[in-house]
Amino acid sequence: MNYEITQRFFFDAAHTLKRKIEAEGSRRIHGHTYHCEVALAGTPDAQTGMVSDLGFLRAHLDAVRDQLDHRYLDEVAGLGAPTLENLCTYVWRAVEPAFANVSRVRVWREGMGDGCTLSRS
């Protein structure tokens, strides 16, 4: 059997975005509360009964959150344009060196009703 375990965090951040629609408001500095969920997939270890220890994942995600929380996303090195797609990629790349079994990263803005999911094919 294959299992998927998840851990969530949130962060508040500001950004600007160049767009063709809703352009005026997007160009001005504005902020959102972002939510992120990271999933790890695999078979539980016979001795621990865990796919991965969520405590290790939480500790790692605390460091990722610190890189994004209360930041101006336009200035976060390695992010690129502060889109939901790029945030998914940024989190994935930050987590994957420590957790090769990352299967999915989802970033969404509850207040806006939009989100993005990046998953392993």
Side-chain angles (χ1 to χ4, degrees):
M1 286 193 248
N2 197 40
Y3 294 82
E4 187 176 73
I5 60 172
T6 62
Q7 181 63 53
R8 291 182 181 178
F9 67 96
F10 74 93
F11 60 96
D12 296 306
H15 73 110
T16 63
L17 197 59
K18 293 179 180 141
R19 306 170 62 187
K20 293 185 188 236
I21 190 167
E22 301 172 349
E24 186 178 331
S26 294
R27 279 192 215 113
R28 290 192 302 263
I29 295 174
H30 61 283
H32 302 282
T33 297
Y34 295 87
H35 299 268
C36 182
E37 181 177 72
V38 174
L40 306 178
T43 303
D45 179 88
Q47 291 187 336
T48 67
M50 296 183 275
V51 171
S52 279
D53 189 323
L54 285 173
F56 289 119
L57 180 58
R58 263 191 298 279
H60 198 79
L61 292 179
D62 283 347
V64 176
R65 181 180 188 270
D66 188 55
Q67 296 168 17
L68 300 170
D69 190 40
H70 287 85
R71 305 289 179 174
Y72 181 49
L73 297 179
D74 298 53
E75 297 176 348
V76 172
L79 177 60
T83 63
L84 292 171
E85 295 87 345
N86 283 343
L87 283 165
C88 282
T89 301
Y90 181 88
V91 172
W92 187 296
R93 288 180 178 158
V95 171
E96 190 173 38
F99 299 92
N101 59 336
V102 175
S103 59
R104 183 172 43 86
V105 172
R106 179 174 178 238
V107 175
W108 70 98
R109 300 181 301 196
E110 194 73 33
M112 301 290 293
D114 51 15
C116 179
T117 302
L118 174 61
S119 59
R120 190 175 299 277
S121 309

